[in-house]
Amino acid sequence: MNISYNWLKEYIDIDLQPAVLAEKLTNAGLETLIVETSPEFFKSIVVGHVVSKEKHPDADKLSVCMIDLGRGEPQQIICGAPNIEVGQNVPVATIGTTFPDGMKIKKAKLRGVESNGMVCSERELDLSQDHSGIMVLDDHAELGMDMKAYLSGNDVRFELDLTPDRSDALGHIGVARDLAALLGTEMRKPLLEIIESNTATSSIISVELDDPKACPRYAARIIKNVKIAESPAWMRQRLQTAGIRSINNVVDAANYVLIETGHPLHTFDLRYIEGGKIIVRKAFDKEKITTLDGKERELDDSVLLICDAKKPVAVAGVMGGENSEVKDDTTDLLLESAYFDPVVVRRGAKKLQLATDASHRFERGTDPNGIPSALDRLATLIVELAGGELTQGQVDAYPHVIEPLEVSLRSERCNAILGTTLDLATMAKILNGLELFHTEKNGIFQVKVPTFRPDITREIDLIEEIGRIFGYNNIPVPQHFSIANKINRKTPDQMREKIIDHLAAVGFNQIYANGLLALDEHPEVFGDEEALLLANPLSKDMASMRSSLLMGMAKVADYNINRRQSDLKLFELGQVSTLDLNSDTGARETSHLGIFISGDLQIKQWSQESVPVDIFHMKGMLRSVFQDLFGLTIAFQSLEHDLFSESLGVYLNEEKIGVLGNLKMINQNLKSVRGVYAEVRISENLGLEQSIQYQKVSIYPAVERDLSIIIDSDIAYEQIDESINKNAGKSLLYSRLYDIYEGKSIASGKKSLTFRLVFQNKTRTLTEKEIDKDFQRILKGLEDAYNATLREAI
């Protein structure tokens, strides 16, 4: 959004330096940058005065002109434009001027006659498409001044980067309103002098709303006998500063009011509106319209149309139709000012892949009750620029009035939230400056929020308005400031941050993959997921929501592996969406944790061999996330899975929450991806019920014992570990499996497992007798449960 400094001065008295003004707007939430108003090469284009004109001696269509540039003797310049005449002020590209396309002006001879520059057309200056002749400047052009100064009037352009909720600031008046509140001054709005004929507008045109929800309001006016021509210099200058190219006086007037008020309007050639009727309706399936950009577009019922009695003439809120555009011979105009549902406009714009200045504003919400004044402003401006007769009154279809919202604001609450001590008078002044008119009783404001501020719906929104206009940088910092978290309750976000910090601390890199995938990019990780398809996808590569994290992870891994980065430790903690017909929305969104490792976990060095990744590393990593962070024990069970050559299911409290395994080829495009992958569902209340208990580190010595048993090969480690911990008693600190053997000395179907058992007491030194007792209890439990036998005990 571009704003002109000089244009703002029409609505508010300001004498601030542009840099200061930009800072004030930024501090108030309207992020502002100062940008150049015209291209740099305009400084080499100067205003010249045509002193004489003679026919070229050797070319019928060329003229030899003497042009005064205000720099000494007039310069001889050859010009081929048919409209150049003595006495004109014209833009001259002087020797050395370099145009954006690389063309450089040099001394030259044309048919034997010397030329010292070039007189420019509007197209050569990229001001319009007019190349029929040279650009003739008006009386504001001073001899010798450069075109940068002439076109901008020494103006300054501000570029505003607005948040989507501030649709009210998409015009000069909205920005001026904020400035008035910031500076504590009054804002002036344009005065309208409306002179109407005796012909009623309603006798010429009527309006029907087939879908009042999609189009709650539509108003129209008619102007007859206008004359289409070039806009005056001041209008073109204003539009140039706003970054809009001049077209003609009527279209320019509509663009001017758009940039002034933030409300889009449209002009139709009345002779092409058949049946004296405007109908606002949804498009029929396969219905077509050719828009102003010359493209024929096929429609469906997601698109809202403006139609006459026989045909569509515009895509509502997006772009007009070619069949009703204003032409050079247009004499009668139909002016449109309407309010369209933001969702309907956005859906239509996305369907047609068409974004315009109008759709940008309608999608964010315009003012339904500002329609009449915007329409009158456009009508008076067109009459001023193009002449014509304005018919009497507006045709205004508005079946259900949209009333301003009333919101309460407690002054005490406002000061408590902001950390201020603002009095009622200061709050009232700020609210009035923003046109948030109100009543106040016992410190409570009842605010009537105007419909041009759809972003204000709650008390906290009003508090934000008070804060940003008062200035967050003016709020005093308390002398005794504590950043301690006074909320003892844990939150899901805190639990997720713990997972992220933990994995990052052990060398993993977090990725953020795209949440949208092509329809064929949904490998079934859990087996029960069904992808959600988008109604209006941006492209076929982003036609559905991801149902797992695997595809995004695989793409990142493939990118790195193809660039010789094969030792990878990646993770993503993100949302996935799947179809769920049992829910109210028809969809289910869950948090998933995806982890991928490949290559070597430990590289080869002089003192150690390399350690390739395997499925056991992944098991350990998942155990550390759940056990070390949340005190939860997960279990693993072998399973068959099409995506993995070797795979395990991950269980928490007997509920399957994930899978892990050695990846096979996912698809033909990701042949290089090999490694171990795990994906688990992370519930919203993970870790919230676990409390942290701090214990003293025992000062008494730990005692180690090794337990080697022979057991059936099909007995899982989890079963053995559970039995050891169940029978060990309170003195077992931990157990660790450190050797597995299957060989000649072990019977077929058996395996030898060796565990390191570590015992310790918190209050005293353990005796050999106590340790032996615990050791025998562990062994007896394994013998009874799994028919294990002691191979060796140390």
Side-chain angles (χ1 to χ4, degrees), residues 619-667:
K619 286 179 64 179
M621 186 52 58
L622 287 179
R623 280 186 183 278
S624 72
V625 169
F626 284 87
Q627 179 66 50
D628 297 347
L629 296 183
F630 308 116
L632 299 172
T633 301
I634 57 174
F636 302 91
Q637 292 183 16
S638 61
L639 55 80
E640 296 293 327
H641 200 296
D642 292 340
L643 293 174
F644 304 102
S645 59
E646 182 182 6
S647 55
L648 298 172
V650 185
Y651 293 83
L652 177 63
N653 298 327
E654 299 184 355
E655 177 190 358
K656 183 182 177 183
I657 63 169
V659 295
L660 68 89
N662 292 314
L663 277 175
K664 294 190 290 190
M665 188 175 69
I666 301 172
N667 62 35

Side-chain angles (χ1 to χ4, degrees), residues 209 211-218 280 304 306 338-341 397 399:
L209 304 181
D211 190 343
K213 288 185 178 180
C215 177
R217 189 174 192 179
Y218 189 101
V280 185
L304 188 67
I306 310 299
Y339 174 74
F340 304 111
D341 184 293

Side-chain angles (χ1 to χ4, degrees), residues 1 18 87 164 191 204 212 292 364 425 436 496 555 558 593 652 691 733 756 768 784:
M1 173 65 191
L191 296 176
I204 303 173
L292 285 172
R364 285 154 177 76
L436 299 172
R496 284 190 286 268
K555 288 180 179 179
D558 179 71
L593 171 64
L652 177 63
S691 58
L733 191 61
R756 174 67 49 84
E768 287 291 325
D784 294 343

Side-chain angles (χ1 to χ4, degrees), residues 704-709 711 716-722 724 734-740 752-758 775 778 782 792 794:
E704 296 180 353
R705 289 284 183 90
D706 285 353
L707 170 65
S708 293
I709 57 172
I711 197 167
Y717 165 79
E718 280 77 12
Q719 296 172 284
I720 302 172
D721 185 61
E722 180 183 8
I724 290 174
Y734 65 86
S735 66
R736 177 169 58 85
L737 175 66
Y738 74 87
D739 184 66
I740 301 176
S752 172
L753 304 178
T754 302
F755 291 85
R756 174 67 49 84
L757 308 177
V758 180
F775 185 90
I778 292 170
L782 292 171
E792 181 181 1
I794 301 175

Side-chain angles (χ1 to χ4, degrees), residues 83 88-91 120 122 134-138 150 230 236:
N83 64 327
Q88 291 175 337
N89 290 330
V90 294
C120 302
E122 290 192 5
I134 52 111
M135 181 181 183
V136 180
L137 307 180
D138 60 17
Y150 169 76
E230 183 181 71
R236 288 181 288 150

